[in-house]
Amino acid sequence: RGPFTLMAGATYTKAKITQDLLEPTLTGKVPRHQPDWTLTATGSADLGRATIGASVVTITKSFAQDSNLLVMPGFTTVDLFAQVKLFKGGSLALNVNNAFDTLGVFEVNQASVPPNGIGFARAANGRTISGSLRFDF
């Protein structure tokens, strides 16, 4: 509406393992890394010479492995962006990904916490900031 734009999306998944021939004890459990909800929203404002906006992504909790013993907590990340037209054919852009430096875990290799307390996981990148200067000729 006017100079404002908003896009949003939601994915709901209620997954269950219906049958596992190799490991029957997994039947009825939730598959690994499968959150119930993934939510996204991106909004921006076009101010003429400048455009600013933010993107928010939320992923709800999920299980590390099919055994459903270890839960990976849900998380929300916020990305910010801005672009300013400096002159005809020239612009400056700034992007901030994971602006609040949120710890988001996507994957854990262990089914439960090992006795030594050390495991392997894959996490969202921490806060990153990038800028660019563009010249069109």
Side-chain angles (χ1 to χ4, degrees):
R1 182 159 181 102
F4 301 103
T5 302
L6 178 62
M7 295 178 286
T11 301
Y12 175 71
T13 305
K14 193 64 176 170
K16 294 281 183 199
I17 299 171
T18 56
Q19 184 179 23
D20 190 315
L21 297 175
L22 298 176
E23 188 63 51
T25 61
L26 299 180
T27 300
K29 304 234 185 230
V30 177
R32 71 186 78 190
H33 311 152
Q34 186 61 63
D36 287 345
W37 286 98
T38 301
L39 308 167
T40 62
T42 301
S44 65
D46 185 344
L47 307 173
R49 287 184 45 139
T51 301
I52 58 171
S55 175
V56 179
V57 176
T58 296
I59 297 175
T60 59
K61 69 180 174 116
S62 62
F63 291 105
Q65 296 295 324
D66 294 341
S67 60
N68 294 178
L69 297 173
L70 185 61
V71 174
M72 298 184 302
F75 62 93
T76 298
T77 59
V78 176
D79 303 330
L80 307 172
F81 57 89
Q83 181 177 6
V84 178
K85 297 173 189 166
L86 300 173
F87 51 85
K88 185 178 179 179
S91 61
L92 175 67
L94 178 68
N95 296 295
V96 180
N97 295 325
N98 197 358
F100 300 110
D101 205 21
T102 300
L103 175 61
V105 178
F106 289 108
E107 179 179 9
V108 174
N109 290 341
Q110 289 70 26
S112 62
V113 177
N116 66 2
I118 299 173
F120 299 95
R122 185 169 60 100
N125 288 336
R127 180 185 310 113
T128 57
I129 301 171
S130 65
S132 64
L133 185 58
R134 177 179 169 163
F135 295 98
D136 294 331
F137 52 92

